[in-house]
Structures are given as structure tokens and as C-alpha cells.
Amino acid sequence: MRTVDLRSDTVTRPTSEMREAMARAQVGDDVYGEDPTVKRLEEAAAELAGKEAALFVPSGTMGNQVAVLTHTSRGNEIIVDSEAHIYYYEVGAPAVLSAVQVRPVVGLHGSEAIALFKSAVRGQDIHFPQTSLLCLENTHNRMGGTVTGTDVMQGLYGAAQELGVAVHLDGARIGNAAVALGCRISALTQWCDSVMFCLSKGLGAPVGSMLAGSSDFIARARKYRKMLGGGMRQSGILAAAGLIALRSVNRLAEDHANARLLAEKLAVVPGIKIDLDRVQTNIVVADIADTGMTAGEYVEVLRARGVLAVVFGPTTVRFVTHLDVSREDVEYAAEMVMAS
Ligand code: TLP
């Protein structure tokens, strides 16, 4: 039976161009700073993000957590959106690894962003922890792949700088945000001190993410990466695929068009509700409460028809378009959902 895997853009497999580049890659021991391909990748990523330096890390989660470690001290408080990946999906890592307290704020990326952020920053009081970091997420996964514009990013960064709070951007899908806005990645990342972005999502690389920031920040982050066991040896094999991923950002427009197509088709299926305003990039979140099924049951019904999606909430299901899903696959998936 035909299967269309819409669980995540993490399921993409490396292209044949990537596999060939991986086979040919020049490598060395990167912990000794001797892998030329990793160095090229780190330089290219820094340039793309408009930062002085970048670090190749095994995963987005490690990139975010290395950033939290580097920006904070034990006992600090960090401000995040209440649906942020760093808070929701990283196994409580800020508490364990950085020993910081997370202050989740509802609607941090919305129209009240700056006021919400300012009121969450702690003042001077002997009882309070020190707020040292604001974490943003663009695109925002759990909001449905929504894009935060440059104006909001700029406003938040300005407010954070005034209050002495550093800004880290979880830009796992920053390429999607830039493509949706029709701007360069650096037009967004200029409004943060550090940014993590993934090579292994819609860009198709098998493994790896980048953390970018000032040279001093990346030098300190490199030690934390080592501490967490993320010092890799002949990782040029992976970096070779990453270099191709970095050149492929414009292809994400295809995923956005496919997500829009899927969303429009699913929005008219009885029992399914979709907020089309939130379908801005490659993620489609469907509310299936009116089917009378739980999200878990619904995902199983879809699986039996060859459509893979993930449970996103008690009655919400997420579909993600990516490199390995064509327009025709999306049309087929929509038909299978309609028949469910
Ligand atoms: N997201 C994955 C799952 O972890 C939920 C997915 O399928 O969407 N930041 C954001 C915004 C992410 O969406 C993800 C991955 C990460 C960080 C972590 O990246 P990895 O999986 O490389 O650790």
C-alpha cells in the first residue's frame, strides 16, 4: 500500500547529491578543529545567519540547550512561549542541564509580544531570580508553523537589550520563515544574539543543526557541546550534506504550497476544522474533535489508509509537508483523509 509520511519534516532522507557529497567529503578530527568540511559548513552557516561564528551540533535540541547553557547561570529564569519547543518538547532539559527556571508566557509571539515580555522580566527584589534569557521560536511549531515578522522580532530584541536580557532564537525552521516572508534569513536573525537552525528538517540533511552567534559566544558554546558529548570526530561526512542543505532553502516554498493545498482540501472534510490563517508554512494542524474520535484513534485510522500524521493534542493532529512529499502525494493523502 502507498504511504505518505506527513508526521514531520524530520523524516526526509538525504538526496543522492547529498550521499555523493558525503562519500567524497574531506574529513579530519573536528574535536581537534581539523575537519575542513565542518569548518566550511560553520562558515557558511554563520554567513547565512549574519553572525560571526557558528557551531555544528548533532541535533536541534542540543543546539538549543547549549545556547541556554551558554547564556545563563544556575538559578536564572528564562522566558519562553508556553508552547515553545524548548519548554514543551526538550524533556525538561533547561532545569536539568542549566539549572534554570523556565517562565512560560502564553502568546509571547502574538500582538501583545513586547508588553508580555516586559511584564515577565523580573525586577530587582531579593526574592526574585534574575531573568537572563528570552527564547523565541520562528517558525512556531506548536502554533502551526506560524511566522513571526521582522517587526515583532526587532521590537522584542530592542526591549530585551534595554533590560539586559539576551535573546536566543529557536530557528529550527527559520528558512521556512524567511521564505514565507520573502526575506533573507539574516533579516530575521539580526534580531537575536544566538540562533539555532536545523539542517535535517525540510532541507533534507540526515543529521545536524547549527548554532550561530558572536565568536565569543560560539567559543564558549563549543565547550558546552563537548560537555554534553556532542564533540564529533570525522563529522565532515555529515557536514557535506549540511552544505547542500544550506543551499536548498528556496525549495521550502514548494512545501508551503503543498501544505496550503492539503489544508484547503482538509478544511472542507466533515468533522475536520482547520484554521487556514495559521497555515503559513509547511505545517497543518487539524482539529478533529467533531469526528468523535481522539487524536490517537484518528491517527490510527489514517495510518490504516497509508497517511502518517502525529497526535498534536487530545483532539488535534499535525501534518507536515517536506522534501519527500510531492504535490501528487498530498492530493492522494487528502483523498485518503476524505475517505476516512
Ligand atoms: N521538532 C520535532 C519534534 O521534536 C517535535 C518535530 O517533529 O517537529 N525546535 C523546534 C521548533 C522543533 O520543531 C524541533 C524538532 C527542534 C527544535 C529539535 O530538533 P531535533 O529533533 O533535531 O532535536
Side-chain angles (χ1 to χ4, degrees):
M1 189 182 62
R2 180 170 172 181
T3 300
V4 182
D5 193 344
L6 297 166
R7 287 173 300 169
S8 181
D9 45 9
T10 59
V11 303
T12 53
R13 305 217 169 105
T15 59
S16 44
E17 188 193 3
M18 283 178 181
R19 287 178 188 269
E20 278 161 31
M22 292 168 83
R24 283 196 315 268
Q26 278 187 302
V27 296
D29 188 326
D30 183 54
V31 173
Y32 291 126
E34 290 171 3
D35 191 303
T37 312
V38 171
K39 282 192 177 160
R40 272 172 54 217
L41 176 68
E42 291 180 341
E43 281 163 19
E47 197 186 327
L48 199 73
K51 300 290 180 204
E52 286 173 1
L55 181 69
F56 185 37
V57 287
S59 69
T61 300
M62 189 185 285
N64 280 336
Q65 295 307 324
V66 163
V68 175
L69 272 162
T70 311
H71 281 298
T72 63
S73 301
R74 189 177 170 81
N76 286 174
E77 189 164 71
I78 69 170
I79 298 174
V80 302
D81 181 69
S82 58
E83 297 284 322
H85 194 281
I86 286 180
Y87 174 57
Y88 202 95
Y89 284 131
E90 298 191 8
V91 211
V96 177
L97 301 175
S98 298
V100 293
Q101 172 164 288
V102 176
R103 176 93 176 259
V105 173
V106 177
L108 185 60
H109 295 69
S111 51
E112 299 301 310
I114 295 167
L116 285 170
F117 162 66
K118 281 186 173 169
S119 63
V121 175
R122 303 283 193 152
Q124 293 302 322
D125 185 307
I126 193 164
H127 304 89
F128 291 168
Q130 187 190 329
T131 305
S132 54
L133 182 65
L134 165 66
C135 295
L136 301 174
E137 187 174 315
N138 201 4
T139 64
H140 195 306
N141 184 347
R142 286 197 56 80
M143 299 303 283
T146 50
V147 178
T148 302
T150 42
D151 47 344
V152 177
M153 298 277 308
Q154 180 176 6
L156 282 167
Y157 191 47
Q161 282 189 315
E162 263 170 40
L163 294 165
V165 174
V167 177
H168 170 67
L169 174 62
D170 176 347
R173 298 185 180 84
I174 194 67
N176 296 82
V179 164
L181 291 168
C183 68
R184 296 165 77 95
I185 286 177
S186 57
L188 291 161
T189 54
Q190 67 180 306
W191 308 119
C192 63
D193 297 296
S194 61
V195 54
M196 181 285 292
F197 55 96
C198 295
L199 307 171
S200 65
K201 295 202 162 56
L203 303 179
V207 175
S209 295
M210 306 307 304
L211 178 63
S214 70
S215 304
D216 170 63
F217 174 86
I218 292 300
R220 289 183 295 120
R222 196 174 287 279
K223 288 205 75 143
Y224 281 121
R225 181 188 69 171
K226 189 78 185 78
M227 183 192 278
L228 298 184
M232 298 177 284
R233 302 295 177 172
Q234 286 71 34
S235 40
I237 294 274
L238 299 170
L243 277 162
I244 293 170
L246 286 188
R247 293 202 297 267
S248 329
V249 175
N250 289 338
R251 70 148 306 281
L252 298 170
E254 254 173 68
D255 299 346
H256 298 180
N258 285 339
R260 176 65 21 201
L261 177 71
L262 180 69
E264 283 171 1
K265 284 185 179 279
L266 297 190
V268 296
V269 176
I272 298 185
K273 283 196 202 115
I274 292 184
D275 183 349
L276 289 172
D277 289 344
R278 285 205 182 174
V279 184
Q280 298 169 8
T281 56
N282 66 330
I283 295 179
V284 179
V285 179
D287 183 337
I288 55 87
D290 291 348
T291 63
M293 285 185 253
T294 64
E297 287 162 355
Y298 194 74
V299 160
E300 284 315 308
V301 168
L302 294 185
R303 177 182 286 275
R305 291 190 172 264
V307 178
L308 306 187
V310 293
V311 172
F312 217 43
T315 60
T316 51
V317 170
R318 186 189 73 168
F319 303 86
V320 186
T321 54
H322 52 77
L323 180 61
D324 294 347
V325 167
S326 65
R327 186 180 170 88
E328 208 221 324
D329 288 327
V330 164
E331 279 166 353
Y332 174 80
E335 270 171 42
M336 291 298 110
V337 175
M338 271 180 235
S340 300

